Amino acid sequence: MEEYDAIVIGAGNGGITASAAMAQKGLNVLLLERHNIPGGCATSFCRGRFEFEVALHQLSGMGTVEKPGPLRMMLASLGVLDDLEFVEMSELYSIMMPDGFKLSLKPDKEEVIKELQDRFPHEKQAIEKFFDLSYKYANDMLSTFIFKDPAPSREKYPTMYEYAFKPASEVLDSLISDPLLKAVLSVYWGYVGLPPNRLAFPYLAMIFFTYIEFKPFHIKGGSQALSNVIINKFISHGGTVRFNCGAKEIKIENGKVKGVVTDDGEFIPARFVVSNASQVSTYVQLIDPQHVPGQVSREMRGRSLSSSAFSMFVGFDCEPDELGITEPTTFLLDNIDFGDRVINQMKKLDIDDQLLVLSCYDVSDPEFSPPGTCQANIVTLKYGEPWLSIPPAQYNKTKFRCAEAMLRRVEAIYPGVRGHIEEIEVATPLTHMRYLGHPNGSIYGFEQYTKDSMFFQPGRYSPIEGLYFASGWAGDCGFHPTLQAGLSAAKSIVRKLETE
Amino acid sequence: MKKNIFEDFDGYNDILEEIEHSRKYGINYSAERHSPAQFINRLHPPVLSLIVSDIIEETSSTKTLRLIPDDGYLPPFLAGQYVALTLEIGGIRTSRPYSISSPPNQTGFYDITVRRVDGGLVSNYLLDEVKKGDHLQSSGPAGHFYYNPLFHDKSMVCIAGGSGITPFMSMVNEIADCGIDRTVFLLYGNKNSGDVIFHEKFQAISDRFENIHYIPVIEEPPDDYDGSRGLITGDLIKEKIGNVDDKTFYLCGPQGMYDFCIPELVKLGIPDKKIREEVYGAPANICDYAGWPEDIKAETVFKVSVNGGRTLDARAGEPLITALEKKGVIVPSLCRSGECSMCRIRIISGKVFQPKGVPVRKSDRQFGYVHSCVSYPLDDLAIAL
């Protein structure tokens, strides 16, 4: 029987980079994936003549060839950079409201400030202050945690000490009085899953900083291209991947990982296991309860499940400009109250005036969809719970009802879009649950409150020896963080082997 | 131990307190409550255990198998969707998709209607060997051939050929049974009158419901036949449905029907997006397809090495998945028509023929992934499952 140093469970972003990085270091790695394709969220599917992108909206951390960002460097270290083609997106984001309000921001600090100041002249100074503060915060963080200042102090990094644990809304409220401007500056909360009154200011600051400094990107061939390229690299390093084969159990003995039992009942020994599945599934479904240390259950108790999403993938029979879509990333804003009202809406089935994001990759990459067509990926955040209690017989009806409401919101901004629909597919929280295997269909792992940040949680580590986590459940979510999570898990294992 | 710097950040102690609080009053992640499978299996079970409760003779070559659930539960489906039966015939494990011909409102059973195909491994087995009380296994319902209320017209023109009638049986019955506000024009082509499946049933429904129009079309009818004859031409469609602009067209039948009818619809000025086609299995005579290399005959045999291990023989004229199944290598499959990507495998070396228009992801093409149900060996191959 083949001997493996490590078994990776799940071929999502974290699982594939963990696999590729370990194989690159000469470890013999087995990657198990119960689906027939790698990627997890980072995938695509075909309908008619369209290939729909599932999850990637704006790739962060890439940077340019001249000024590479952390993700570009990471992909280079994995040896996959040259196998991929990246498309820089010309917009940070735009906002459209049914009353005709439209605003579009370029990924350039001076231009963002200027555009906002032109539109909100009464908030000129506040805008300046907000971006200064965000940049100061980001620079403090980088100096301390990336460049690892050996002697950080409050005197050197006052912004970090003051703002690290502050809610975004508190910062916005202290600087800005125009509620519309506050909403305009905080729509990126949708990329984290918590509205600004629950979201730590650092998220907002870091998102602006990274998207502006390293620019938002997309990938030719979509996120599936990224997944395929990394798997290909893994295989070329001698790695083994088994598709259509999930894990049934992680075997533990005396607090140490012994191996994995596959869905087919085969036991495969290994000293290390990297779980790309959630901690919930890993500890509750894959490990015999008697081997789960008490501290794990205690820690998990304090975490809550993030929202899932309701998404619509639409293929149109025309170019984006014919529909009035002129930006790659547009937030459709119908109500600027981002308070707890938002959470209540997310807990309901139906879609009314909540925030939607519409990504149209064809705007920045005209080859994305077939010639003369384009596609839009429209998403709103919804918790999974209400979907769990729908009687199965009512499921399709409910799905179409919610999709109809979403489509009407889109029509209010882009009149006449319905007449151009050629293909449409709808994904509910149950769809996300089906394909990701996450409890409640959560797309952002555990909720990202301040108490859930890396300072306070076990992240990739487990008290079970040999077990590591690599996913959005072990840290931040999004492409760059989850790809990084896999690399970090791989590093931990390689280091452990080297010190022996 | 060295103090972490974040312990000095403003608000640190409040966060610690919050963590303590949340752990005390937080969520107990028990297996029952949070197992995704428990919820998903009600809609998308990986396997359905079914019992043949009845066999209904429809025509001399066609039977309906009525399938009831072994455990009392059938997942819902949309009229037009199919299940893939998994069967073991003569030691070969394979699967075939069959549209559910009963309507979704009939929740106690799924009907599948099977017509004999000359030399058809599965159809002949289902017609000749399967008996009342037998157990069968299938996938959950799947497929994208259904009325989509988000953008389809409320007036549907359904064009069927031969056994392609089955999804329309489901759609028409649902509309009639549930009083749904939609209009159907069903044009149903067959070679002879004796081939027409469900003729009396459709006739009876269309007699009772003003919104259901049933138009059988017989290619070679007897001289005294007074219905529509010949093929389903644009002229005939126009004559029967009137205004073509406010209607969505659904086609299900053999390849020859698509080859003939779609240009007819295009001639009527119907845009592509209003023409919805159901997939109908792998092409029967792949060697006749445009682009097939002349020097390779259907009978040519190539060697296929699987996962760097065993090697088996595969005929050029046969889908790769079939060759694999004959040697006991199982690749999961669903639509068997190239559409669903379930049977995705990687070609490491060697060439395969894939008919035009198979929806394979762009980056999959780049890395040699194919849908093995519509890939034909043109070379000795090395593949990875």
Side-chain angles (χ1 to χ4, degrees), chain A residues 1 24 176 190 328 358 372 383 392 408 448 468:
Chain A
M1 185 166 52
Q24 191 180 27
I176 299 163
L358 183 149
Y383 283 98
R408 284 190 188 170
Q448 306 284 304
Y468 294 85

Side-chain angles (χ1 to χ4, degrees), chain A residues 94-103 316 320-327 329-335 352-358 378 405-418:
Chain A
S94 68
I95 287 179
M96 288 182 75
M97 296 180 71
D99 64 4
F101 176 89
K102 188 185 172 185
L103 175 139
F316 296 105
D321 52 357
E322 204 174 318
L323 303 167
I325 299 176
T326 52
E327 324 292 341
T329 308
T330 307
F331 288 91
L332 309 188
L333 190 59
D334 217 358
N335 190 317
D352 41 39
D353 60 0
Q354 60 184 109
L355 184 68
L356 311 182
V357 62
L358 183 149
I378 307 150
M406 184 181 248
L407 199 51
R408 284 190 188 170
R409 285 278 310 278
V410 176
E411 278 180 301
I413 304 284
Y414 306 105
V417 285
R418 201 187 294 248

Side-chain angles (χ1 to χ4, degrees), chain A residues 126-349:
Chain A
I127 291 163
E128 192 91 47
K129 271 190 197 158
F130 174 80
F131 282 97
D132 270 358
L133 189 64
S134 297
Y135 265 63
K136 269 189 195 138
Y137 182 83
N139 284 316
D140 284 4
M141 281 296 284
L142 293 184
S143 304
T144 313
F145 294 103
I146 303 296
F147 300 111
K148 302 201 193 302
D149 184 337
S153 67
R154 187 180 285 268
E155 289 64 40
K156 274 196 211 166
Y157 307 118
T159 313
M160 181 174 71
Y161 277 74
E162 185 180 349
Y163 287 93
F165 300 149
K166 268 207 178 22
S169 59
E170 206 178 303
V171 176
L172 290 165
D173 289 344
S174 70
L175 297 173
I176 299 163
S177 47
D178 188 329
L180 177 59
L181 176 60
K182 284 189 227 178
V184 162
L185 282 174
S186 53
V187 286
Y188 268 146
W189 72 261
Y191 283 13
V192 190
L194 289 174
N197 64 340
R198 296 174 180 227
L199 183 73
F201 167 70
Y203 275 107
L204 208 49
M206 293 308 288
I207 290 176
F208 272 119
F209 177 81
T210 46
Y211 276 140
I212 292 174
E213 289 308 303
F214 301 122
K215 313 297 171 198
F217 278 82
H218 207 270
I219 306 170
K220 285 263 182 193
S223 59
Q224 188 66 61
L226 176 69
S227 308
N228 280 355
V229 162
I230 297 174
I231 280 291
N232 193 50
K233 189 54 77 177
F234 170 59
I235 294 168
S236 74
H237 285 313
T240 308
V241 52
R242 278 198 211 169
F243 292 117
N244 302 301
C245 182
K248 194 153 72 182
E249 192 184 349
I250 302 172
K251 283 278 184 203
I252 313 287
E253 233 177 75
N254 303 321
K256 287 183 193 168
V257 163
K258 284 288 152 200
V260 171
V261 181
T262 66
D263 274 343
D264 318 325
E266 183 190 352
F267 172 69
I268 309 172
R271 265 188 68 192
F272 295 99
V273 165
V274 177
S275 178
N276 188 196
S278 68
Q279 277 91 337
V280 178
S281 318
T282 308
Y283 286 124
V284 177
Q285 272 128 40
L286 293 179
I287 298 177
D288 186 330
Q290 61 164 321
H291 296 302
V292 178
Q295 76 186 87
V296 164
S297 316
R298 202 178 117 71
E299 263 159 14
M300 277 211 298
R301 249 184 115 82
R303 315 294 299 275
S304 48
L305 299 172
S306 71
S307 76
S308 186
F310 186 93
S311 324
M312 214 155 69
F313 307 91
V314 193
F316 296 105
D317 69 348
C318 64
E319 309 268 357
D321 52 357
E322 204 174 318
L323 303 167
I325 299 176
T326 52
E327 324 292 341
T329 308
T330 307
F331 288 91
L332 309 188
L333 190 59
D334 217 358
N335 190 317
I336 56 173
D337 176 1
F338 285 163
D340 273 346
R341 188 174 168 278
V342 168
I343 291 282
N344 293 332
Q345 279 175 319
M346 285 161 72
K347 287 181 175 163
K348 282 185 201 151
L349 282 176

Side-chain angles (χ1 to χ4, degrees), chain A residues 36 44 51 228 303 317 419, chain B residues 10 29 273 341 361-362 364:
Chain A
N36 69 345
S44 66
E51 179 178 344
N228 280 355
R303 315 294 299 275
D317 69 348
Chain B
D10 291 356
Y29 291 96
K273 67 170 182 239
S341 118
R361 298 169 179 94
K362 266 188 214 163
D364 274 359

